[in-house]
Amino acid sequence: MKIAIVGGALQGMEAVYLAKKAGFKTLVLDKSNNAPAFSMSDEFETIDILERESDARKIFRKCDAVLPACENMRALLKLDEMFRYSDIPLLFDMRSYKISSSKNASNAMMEKIGIPMPKKWQECDLPVIVKPSSQSGSVGVTVAYTKDELNEGIRKVMGLGDEPVIQEFVRGKNVSVEVIGDGEEFRSFVTTEIMLSKDRDCKRVKCSPEILSEQREQEFKRIAERTARSIDLRSLMDVEAIETKNGLKVLEIDARIPSQTPAAVLAATGINLLEEMIHPSSAVNEGKASSYEHFIVRYGKMMTCGEKEFANVRDPKIIRGLFGADEMITDHENGSNIWRCTMINSAADEKELEKKRARCINAIIKECEIYEFADESPAIS
């Protein structure tokens, strides 16, 4: 099977990684000539599908499926139009994506069906989190502890040409779960834990049976499937929440291929979410623990970093065994002063996983003569 992946940035790299693990051939299309997913794929084309639609159609006709791996709304709408009546499957649900791409719209939908969420501003006290309705990741996000910070957060969002979403700032474990639907049946998978860098970007994903209790895990799955059913999901969606002392509070949904959690799910469970989108199976969860984590090395300093920093990786490759890791997605070369990597490890349980992670980090420190290591998280007041 050959899959065309439209978008060669973070989501594109994730899609290529999953496709390779499934034994699929990959063709990445991106309008940038240095998209990082190019070096990981079997083939690539530098093309703007909006400007060269007829050429794109010729390329797609040579593929067995097409997977959008970008968030350009014009490009997504064009792909939806191109494949609406095609025999080639488009692994994407435009209707669900439109709902999930607006936090205001998706929050209204979830409120209507009784999904637990953080309280809205003016129904809660400070601190609050201010975020844009239509951006992804940590773009434009502010945690406001004072009225002045709240107003500044609103101005930041307005400066992006977006609408602000203001909710109580809830503390607890940040968790995510994927669900796949076909409009009739909805199947949720396993919980992952999201860990944030200092600038509130995702730096690490863990997957293991120890993240939530069995009762809370089943509750999270029911929330995900109920949400998917309410939007008639016909593709892949992830649900992000905070586990608080008062239960789960859903932060947002995204009806697209995520850029980090599926690889962690695969390493821990053996379940490939891309493969499940194409050929649904009854794959059995292997029940291991896994970690997917970004690092940057710069002139003798090593630190964990968020996905936006890792996105600056150039010509990455998938390398097994480097510095003792199961796998790395990296542009590391011997003698490099600046390089980035995503380190992927799995083990029988979280205790063994942390030991493996420490060994890998120590190997990098020793072999690359690192004199400073930092693993920073957001400050909490």
Side-chain angles (χ1 to χ4, degrees), residues 19-38:
K20 282 184 171 293
K21 290 295 181 180
F24 302 153
K25 294 291 184 182
T26 56
L27 167 61
V28 175
L29 297 85
D30 197 289
K31 62 183 180 182
S32 170
N33 59 14
N34 60 355
F38 281 175

Side-chain angles (χ1 to χ4, degrees), residues 216-240:
R216 192 56 57 77
E217 176 92 7
Q218 294 305 314
E219 177 190 351
F220 198 16
K221 287 185 174 186
R222 286 193 296 271
I223 287 171
E225 291 171 12
R226 185 179 177 188
T227 305
R229 185 172 289 107
S230 73
I231 62 173
D232 192 32
L233 180 70
R234 296 171 186 269
S235 187
L236 172 67
M237 178 181 80
D238 77 320
V239 180
E240 187 177 347

Side-chain angles (χ1 to χ4, degrees), residues 23-230:
F24 302 153
K25 294 291 184 182
T26 56
L27 167 61
V28 175
L29 297 85
D30 197 289
K31 62 183 180 182
S32 170
N33 59 14
N34 60 355
F38 281 175
S39 60
M40 296 170 58
S41 63
D42 297 299
E43 302 175 51
F44 62 87
E45 290 279 353
T46 302
I47 183 173
D48 186 332
I49 65 168
L50 294 171
E51 295 183 359
R52 296 171 54 194
E53 180 181 343
S54 61
D55 291 335
R57 287 181 181 273
K58 291 177 184 177
I59 293 169
F60 292 142
R61 281 198 288 269
K62 299 176 183 177
C63 300
D64 300 296
V66 176
L67 174 65
C70 66
E71 295 178 77
N72 182 312
M73 184 60 81
R74 289 181 61 222
L76 294 171
L77 287 168
K78 175 56 67 176
L79 288 168
D80 182 61
E81 174 193 314
M82 291 169 68
F83 289 93
R84 195 167 299 160
Y85 305 107
S86 172
D87 292 333
I88 301 171
L90 181 69
L91 306 176
F92 183 73
D93 179 358
M94 189 70 234
R95 181 178 173 277
S96 296
Y97 180 77
K98 282 183 177 179
I99 297 171
S100 74
S101 64
S102 166
K103 293 180 180 67
N104 281 325
S106 56
N107 285 353
M109 175 274 298
M110 290 190 288
E111 184 177 20
K112 185 176 180 180
I113 63 172
I115 299 299
M117 294 185 294
K119 294 177 182 177
K120 294 183 286 189
W121 171 235
Q122 296 185 339
E123 295 177 4
C124 65
D125 297 323
L126 292 168
V128 294
I129 192 158
V130 185
K131 51 191 175 182
S133 176
S134 303
Q135 304 293 322
S136 65
S138 60
V139 175
V141 175
T142 300
V143 179
Y145 294 89
T146 67
K147 287 287 185 67
D148 287 344
E149 290 176 342
L150 170 59
N151 291 332
E152 179 57 34
I154 293 172
R155 283 193 291 271
K156 183 190 294 187
V157 171
M158 300 295 283
L160 294 170
D162 210 333
E163 298 176 345
V165 176
I166 308 171
Q167 296 174 311
E168 68 173 323
F169 178 50
V170 291
R171 297 180 176 89
K173 187 177 290 185
N174 194 329
V175 293
S176 178
V177 68
E178 277 79 27
V179 56
I180 293 175
D182 62 6
E184 295 182 1
E185 296 185 2
F186 306 91
R187 179 187 177 195
S188 56
F189 292 86
V190 298
T191 297
T192 52
E193 181 179 0
I194 310 299
M195 300 179 181
L196 303 181
S197 62
K198 187 176 182 179
D199 59 356
R200 312 198 70 81
D201 199 14
C202 179
K203 67 177 181 180
R204 187 183 185 195
V205 177
K206 284 203 305 183
C207 183
S208 89
E210 301 171 55
I211 291 172
L212 294 177
S213 68
E214 178 63 26
Q215 179 181 352
R216 192 56 57 77
E217 176 92 7
Q218 294 305 314
E219 177 190 351
F220 198 16
K221 287 185 174 186
R222 286 193 296 271
I223 287 171
E225 291 171 12
R226 185 179 177 188
T227 305
R229 185 172 289 107
S230 73

